[in-house]
Amino acid sequence: MVAFGKKLKQRQIQEWQEYYIKYKLMKKKVKQYAQQIEVGTQDRGHVLKDFSRMLDNQIETIVLFLLEQQGILASRIAKLGKWHEALQQQPEISQISELREAYRAAGQDLLKLLFFVEINAVGLRKILKKFDKRFGYRFTNYYVKTRANHPYSQLQQVFKHVGIGAVVGAISRNLHELQDRQGSYLSIYDQPALPLQDPVIESVRAAVDRLTHSTNFLNFLAQHALIIQEELPAPIEDHIDDQRYHFMSLVLNLANTFLYMVNTYIIVPTADDYSLSLGAAATVCGVVIGAMAVAQVFSSVYFSAWSNKSYFRPLVFSSIVLLVGNTFYALAYDIHSIWVLLFGRLLCGFGSARAVNRRYISDCVPLKLRMQASAAFVSASALGMACGPALAALLQTNFKIYKLTFNQNTLPGWVMAVAWLIYLIWLWFTFKEPPHEVEETHIPQESNDVENDTLERGLKQPLLLTSEDISEEKQDEDTDQDCDESEESADESRRPATSIRSAYRLLTPSVKVQLLIYFMLKYVMEVLLSESSVVTTYYFNWSTSSVAIFLACLGLTVLPVNIIVGSYISNMFEDRQILLASEIMVLFGILLSFNMFFPYSVPQYVCSGLLVFVSAEVLEGVNLSLLSRVMSSRLSRGTYNGGLLSTEAGTIARVIADATITLAGYLGQSRLLNITLLPSLIVCISSIISTCYTYNSLY
C-alpha cells in the first residue's frame, strides 16, 4: 500500500495544486504537537484549538475554490445556452454536434471538480484519524459535532453539492435536447421515464452518488462480494477499456454464480436419505455435503491463478467438471456406491469458479457499473441458495428409464447436469474473452472508493471513526514513514501478494479477527443447514418437502435482511456496534437450539434456526463491509486477493462443520444436535471475546 501523501501528490490536478488539503504539512504538524506535549512546551487545550483553526482554514480554502469553479462552470453553461438558443432558431447540424461536444467537455470538467472534492474528503478523514490515534483523543467527534450545523462552518458544504446538482441538471437537460428527437414535439419533461444515457452524465451521477452516499443499499450489498478497492479515488478517466466489457459475458458470469449456489444446496434436503439408500448412516450426509467444500479449498486457488490469463477457459472447465460431477452423483444410486456419490460431489467442488466470477467483475466491468455488478453477484448467490432447496421440493417423483432411476435422490444430480450442459452451450457461443494485461503491471485505478465510506455518509454519520478505521491507520502509519522513498520502492509496495503467506502478512490484527468472525458464522450456518434434514426427521418426522421449504424460506431472508441493514440499521449505529450485537444474537440462537430440559418442539427449532441464520446474515453483511474497507489495497488484485482469503476461511469452516456432523453421528442421532452445537457455541464465544479484546485495545 502506497502512502496517502504520495498518492495525493500523484493524483492532484496540477493547476489546482495550491487548493488541495495540505496533508503532508498537517501530518508534520501533528508530529510537532506530539513532541511539544511530550516535552511540556505545549498544553493539550492549545493544541486542540490550533489544530481546529488549521482545519477550518483548510476547509474554507477548499470550499471557496469549489464555489469559484462552480461559478466558472455556470458561466460556461450560460454562454453555451445562448448558443443553443440561437441554433434553435437556425439549426445547423455541424454546429449542433460542436455544441454537444462543448457540453460534454463541461461535464468532464465537472468530473474533475468532483474528484477534487472526493480526494480532499479522504485527506480530511485521514488526518483526523491520525490526530486521534496520536493523542488518544476522540477529536473527530468533537470537531464534527461542533461544525456540523454551525452557521460559520464550511464543513458540510463539502457534501451538500447544491451548486453541483444545478450544473449536472443543466448539462443533462441540454444534452437531452440536442439528441435527435426525430420530429417529436414533446418536451423532455413529458417523458421523465427516458433517462439520458450519455456516458459523461452517467459518470457524473456516479461520482455524486459516491459523495452523497445515496446508493446505500446497493453499496452495502456490493461490498459482500469483497472486491477490494483502491485507497483513493482514481483520476477521472475509466481505466477499464470499454472493449473489455461485454454485457452478455457478465450475465454468463452471474449465471455461473447462481447455478453453482443452486448446485450446492439442492442436495441438502435429500442427502441423508441418499446416504441411507446406499447403506451408509444418515449422518454421512455431512461428508456428502462437505465434499464439495473440501474440493473448493483447492479449486479456489487454481481458478484464481487461472483467471490471470483467461476467463473463458476456466468457466468452460468449470461447466464440464460440474456436468460430470453431477452425472456421477446421480449414477451412484443405480451403481449403489457411496464412493461414487462422494466422487461426484468432489468433482462439483473442483468446478467452483467463484474466484473467476469475482475477478471478472473486478477486472472487466467499468467503474460506473462495478457496484451494481457486485451487488448482482451477491444477489445471484442469495437467490441460488434459496432456489436450491426449493427446486429439491419439486423433484418428488419416482420413475425409471431403462436402468436409470429418477427419484428425489437422483433428480437433483440429473437436473443440474442438464442445467450445466445448457449453460456450457450458451457459454461457448456467447462469451467474449476480454484482453488480459500482465498481472505485475495491472494496477487498477478505481474511483468507487469504499475506504471513505464513513465520511461520505455526510449528515447522517460524518467522519465518525470505527475501530477498523484505526486498525487501518496502523497500516497506513507504517507506509507514511516511507513517503519520500524512491519510485522503485513505491512500485514494490503496489505489487500484489505472491503467496497465501505473504497475503496473510498484509492482514492487521482487526482484519484477522474479522476473518475469525467470518469463519464462525460460516461454521454455524453450515451446521444449521447441513444437519437440518437429519434433525427434523429424527425429532419431527418432517418430509423432504418440509425440509426443503424450511431451507428455502431461510434463503429468502438474505436480501430483505441486507436491505434493512444497508438502508437503515447501518445509518443508525456504528458498524462495530452492529457487529457485536449480531454475534451476541447468534450466541442466543445457538443456546436456544439446545435440547436440554424440555421436549424438543417445532417452534423452538424454527425460531432458533431463524434467529441464528438471520443474525449470521446481518453479521456477514457488516463483517464483509468492514473487510472490504480495511484490507490492504494490495489484496485487490493478483491470485492471492482478499476475495480468495475470505472464500478460503468460509470454505474451511464449512468443511470442519460437515466433518463434525459426520463424526457426531457415530454417537447416535439422539446426541447429534447437542454435540454439533457445542463447537458452534465455543467458536461463537471465542469470536465475541476476540472482538471485544481487539476493540478495547484499539480505543
Side-chain angles (χ1 to χ4, degrees):
M1 184 165 63
V2 181
F4 176 81
K6 181 164 287 187
K7 281 190 174 183
L8 177 62
K9 184 177 181 181
Q10 290 171 347
R11 300 188 184 185
Q12 285 179 356
I13 299 171
Q14 291 304 313
E15 57 267 30
W16 296 352
Q17 191 171 0
E18 61 182 295
Y19 303 106
Y20 283 91
I21 186 170
K22 303 298 187 291
Y23 181 79
K24 278 188 77 173
L25 175 64
M26 298 184 78
K27 190 177 71 172
K28 290 178 181 178
K29 198 70 175 176
V30 169
K31 292 180 181 179
Q32 289 177 8
Y33 289 146
Q35 294 169 355
Q36 290 170 355
I37 289 178
E38 188 176 346
V39 299
T41 59
Q42 200 69 268
D43 63 88
R44 186 180 292 267
H46 183 272
V47 165
L48 292 176
K49 182 178 179 180
D50 192 52
F51 189 68
S52 298
R53 180 186 56 79
M54 186 182 302
L55 274 178
D56 291 338
N57 290 338
Q58 290 281 303
I59 292 171
E60 186 173 277
T61 300
I62 294 167
V63 170
L64 291 176
F65 178 73
L66 175 64
L67 294 172
E68 178 187 346
Q69 292 301 310
Q70 287 178 8
I72 294 172
L73 274 173
S75 178
R76 277 177 63 185
I77 293 171
K79 292 178 181 178
L80 293 176
K82 293 179 180 178
W83 186 9
H84 190 181
E85 188 176 351
L87 285 176
Q88 286 177 329
Q89 303 298 325
Q90 295 181 342
E92 291 186 24
I93 294 176
S94 61
Q95 289 200 24
I96 288 175
S97 177
E98 190 177 340
L99 179 59
R100 187 185 295 119
E101 291 305 314
Y103 275 117
R104 285 175 179 159
Q108 290 289 349
D109 288 342
L110 178 58
L111 270 174
K112 290 182 181 179
L113 193 59
L114 287 167
F115 176 65
F116 169 82
V117 176
E118 192 170 3
I119 202 171
N120 278 296
V122 177
L124 177 61
R125 176 173 178 258
K126 285 185 123 346
I127 201 64
L128 285 167
K129 284 167 53 182
K130 194 173 292 293
F131 189 91
D132 281 357
K133 180 177 181 292
R134 177 74 69 169
F135 295 100
Y137 179 75
R138 296 305 299 272
F139 172 75
T140 301
N141 254 348
Y142 157 77
Y143 188 80
V144 171
K145 285 180 180 178
T146 55
R147 267 85 173 159
N149 297 308
H150 198 283
Y152 298 156
S153 174
Q154 303 291 335
L155 179 63
Q156 293 303 331
Q157 295 298 324
V158 178
F159 305 103
K160 289 183 179 177
H161 314 307
V162 176
I164 287 179
V167 175
V168 173
I171 295 174
S172 302
R173 181 184 66 82
N174 283 281
L175 280 175
H176 243 309
E177 290 187 346
L178 288 169
Q179 286 181 338
D180 183 12
R181 307 195 63 79
Q182 298 180 348
S184 172
Y185 292 97
L186 291 174
S187 165
I188 60 171
Y189 299 105
D190 296 327
Q191 296 174 302
L194 297 175
L196 177 65
Q197 299 299 325
D198 194 285
V200 172
I201 299 303
E202 291 298 321
S203 299
V204 169
R205 286 174 179 166
V208 173
D209 278 344
R210 286 199 307 274
L211 287 169
T212 58
H213 209 67
S214 64
T215 52
N216 244 355
F217 166 61
L218 269 183
N219 187 65
F220 180 79
L221 189 63
Q223 289 170 355
H224 287 45
L226 206 62
I227 296 173
I228 311 300
Q229 307 291 344
E230 287 288 340
E231 185 181 28
L232 276 180
I236 310 309
E237 297 82 6
D238 190 343
H239 287 260
I240 299 295
D241 190 343
D242 286 339
Q243 292 182 353
R244 302 189 70 198
Y245 173 63
H246 183 233
F247 174 74
M248 191 52 68
S249 298
L250 175 61
V251 171
L252 283 161
N253 189 62
L254 296 174
N256 183 281
T257 300
F258 170 76
L259 286 176
Y260 184 78
M261 293 303 290
V262 172
N263 209 147
T264 300
Y265 289 99
I266 193 173
I267 66 130
V268 173
T270 58
D272 59 333
D273 287 339
Y274 206 166
S275 300
L276 285 170
S277 69
L278 298 179
T283 51
V284 173
C285 70
V287 174
V288 174
I289 296 169
M292 200 167 176
V294 171
Q296 192 179 346
V297 172
F298 304 98
S299 67
S300 296
V301 177
Y302 70 73
F303 268 112
S304 183
W306 201 350
S307 64
N308 292 328
K309 299 179 180 179
S310 174
Y311 300 103
F312 176 68
R313 287 193 292 272
L315 288 177
V316 169
F317 177 78
S318 166
S319 305
I320 294 173
V321 171
L322 280 157
L323 191 160
V324 175
N326 281 288
T327 302
F328 272 103
Y329 181 85
L331 288 174
Y333 187 88
D334 293 304
I335 298 174
H336 198 73
S337 171
I338 189 69
W339 298 110
V340 173
L341 182 73
L342 292 174
F343 179 70
R345 287 294 286 178
L346 278 171
L347 281 180
C348 290
F350 280 119
S352 171
R354 287 176 68 80
V356 180
N357 302 146
R358 279 193 178 97
R359 189 74 177 273
Y360 183 86
I361 294 172
S362 176
D363 290 353
C364 303
V365 177
L367 296 175
K368 60 188 177 184
L369 299 175
R370 195 168 300 157
M371 183 179 68
Q372 293 92 325
S374 298
F377 171 83
V378 178
S379 300
S381 298
L383 189 60
M385 182 181 181
C387 286
L391 187 57
L394 300 176
L395 302 177
Q396 304 300 303
T397 187
N398 192 348
F399 61 93
K400 270 197 168 189
I401 299 178
Y402 297 107
K403 294 182 179 181
L404 297 179
T405 303
F406 297 87
N407 57 24
Q408 65 174 9
N409 296 326
T410 62
L411 276 172
W414 291 121
V415 167
M416 292 312 303
V418 172
W420 285 112
L421 177 61
I422 295 171
Y423 175 80
L424 179 60
I425 296 171
W426 183 22
L427 179 75
W428 188 269
F429 290 102
T430 311
F431 191 89
K432 180 181 178 183
E433 178 76 87
H436 273 256
E437 298 178 13
V438 180
E439 181 179 344
E440 285 75 17
T441 60
H442 176 58
I443 305 174
Q445 305 289 335
E446 302 183 357
S447 62
N448 183 21
D449 187 86
V450 187
E451 147 91 16
N452 55 351
D453 176 62
T454 309
L455 180 63
E456 292 167 358
R457 291 185 186 180
L459 296 173
K460 290 183 179 177
Q461 211 176 4
L463 303 172
L464 292 180
L465 296 176
T466 63
S467 60
E468 284 71 26
D469 292 327
I470 297 174
S471 67
E472 178 198 353
E473 184 59 25
K474 286 184 178 180
Q475 195 174 13
D476 185 60
E477 181 72 21
D478 295 335
T479 58
D480 279 342
Q481 295 173 1
D482 303 322
C483 190
D484 298 319
E485 286 186 357
S486 66
E487 194 65 33
E488 183 179 350
S489 299
D491 291 338
E492 178 70 25
S493 67
R494 292 173 182 167
R495 292 179 182 174
T498 56
S499 66
I500 287 286
R501 186 177 180 182
S502 63
Y504 183 80
R505 287 176 177 174
L506 293 172
L507 304 180
T508 61
S510 68
V511 173
K512 292 176 183 177
V513 169
Q514 285 166 226
L515 286 176
L516 172 63
I517 294 171
Y518 190 67
F519 175 92
M520 179 274 290
L521 67 91
K522 285 297 182 183
Y523 182 92
V524 171
M525 290 174 70
E526 188 70 10
V527 167
L528 171 66
L529 298 174
S530 295
E531 72 177 12
S532 59
S533 183
V534 179
V535 170
T536 55
T537 301
Y538 178 79
Y539 286 104
F540 317 126
N541 289 319
W542 278 10
S543 65
T544 299
S545 297
S546 300
V547 178
I549 292 170
F550 172 68
L551 294 177
C553 289
L554 288 181
L556 288 173
T557 63
V558 173
L559 289 180
V561 166
N562 280 291
I563 290 173
I564 294 170
V565 176
S567 300
Y568 303 105
I569 295 178
S570 63
N571 293 325
M572 298 167 61
F573 303 98
E574 291 184 35
D575 286 342
R576 65 186 181 91
Q577 295 173 325
I578 303 173
L579 196 75
L580 191 56
S582 301
E583 288 181 274
I584 294 171
M585 293 304 294
V586 171
L587 178 62
F588 283 151
I590 294 172
L591 292 173
L592 185 61
S593 299
F594 277 93
N595 178 24
M596 298 293 289
F597 306 109
F598 306 102
Y600 209 56
S601 63
V602 172
Q604 180 184 352
Y605 177 77
V606 171
C607 291
S608 61
L610 191 62
L611 180 60
V612 168
F613 190 84
V614 170
S615 301
E617 275 300 321
V618 174
L619 182 60
E620 181 176 6
V622 177
N623 192 51
L624 290 182
S625 177
L626 289 169
L627 273 173
S628 67
R629 295 206 298 268
V630 302
M631 268 194 178
S632 169
S633 58
R634 288 179 62 185
L635 294 173
S636 66
R637 52 194 176 271
T639 301
Y640 303 96
N641 52 63
L644 176 64
L645 293 180
S646 65
T647 299
E648 292 292 271
T651 304
I652 292 171
R654 290 171 53 206
V655 170
I656 297 175
D658 291 323
T660 303
I661 293 171
T662 299
L663 293 175
Y666 287 105
L667 300 176
Q669 291 190 32
S670 60
R671 299 180 181 180
L672 175 68
L673 180 66
N674 288 346
I675 291 175
T676 53
L677 286 174
L678 191 58
S680 300
L681 182 65
I682 294 171
V683 174
C684 186
I685 292 173
S686 300
S687 73
I688 292 173
I689 293 172
S690 299
T691 302
C692 294
Y693 175 79
T694 303
Y695 287 150
N696 288 336
S697 65
L698 288 173
Y699 274 89

